[in-house]
Amino acid sequence: MATVTLSQSRAVPVAVDEAFDRVLAHPLTEIFRRRRLAIPPIKDVRDQQGDWGTVGQTRVIVLADGGTMLETLTSNDRPHSFGYTISEIRGPMKPLVASADGLWTFEPAGTGTRITWAWELTPTTAGRVAMPAFATMWRGYARQALEEIEAILLR
């Protein structure tokens, strides 16, 4: 099944090292606190051992609609990027998405940092039909998350 690549970026007036460290460590429930159409906010994170940042770590993300997904940290190249895989999707997103590989990148942009969040997702067979609509919702969700990150970083 062909994958679908989605990404969204935002420049923030914060140094690359600081942006990376603070985004990696920040609670997902604050970054992803808003719904975007059919994509719910993150309600809770469970089963995380210690501070997030060690490759191979896992945690369960609980969505406000009752769905869950397993996140596994797959890379940590401080201060340039960190990546993860989303699997074991349960709930309303399960019929659409089989899995997703996420990547956050941080690169100098003027006197600040360009933060990019990207997903390479593998849709289910049924999900292929819904991908254009899902992609539009995801881009809005990502834009909201990057707005939250900027507000967090500027506190």
Side-chain angles (χ1 to χ4, degrees), residues 42-59:
I42 292 177
K43 178 182 173 185
D44 194 15
V45 175
R46 298 182 185 150
D47 304 330
Q48 177 180 319
Q49 302 298 315
D51 295 333
W52 190 247
T54 303
V55 172
Q57 266 184 301
T58 61
R59 58 188 176 186

Side-chain angles (χ1 to χ4, degrees), residues 46-116:
R46 298 182 185 150
D47 304 330
Q48 177 180 319
Q49 302 298 315
D51 295 333
W52 190 247
T54 303
V55 172
Q57 266 184 301
T58 61
R59 58 188 176 186
V60 175
I61 296 171
V62 181
L63 303 174
D65 65 3
T68 62
M69 56 187 99
L70 180 67
E71 180 181 23
T72 303
L73 193 64
T74 57
S75 67
N76 183 343
D77 181 21
R78 183 185 184 275
H80 309 289
S81 66
F82 64 88
Y84 60 92
T85 297
I86 296 290
S87 61
E88 299 182 25
I89 298 167
R90 291 181 171 71
M93 201 178 341
K94 183 177 179 149
L96 301 175
V97 179
S99 65
D101 292 315
L103 184 67
W104 288 88
T105 57
F106 303 80
E107 51 193 9
T111 59
T113 303
R114 174 163 300 284
I115 301 171
T116 301

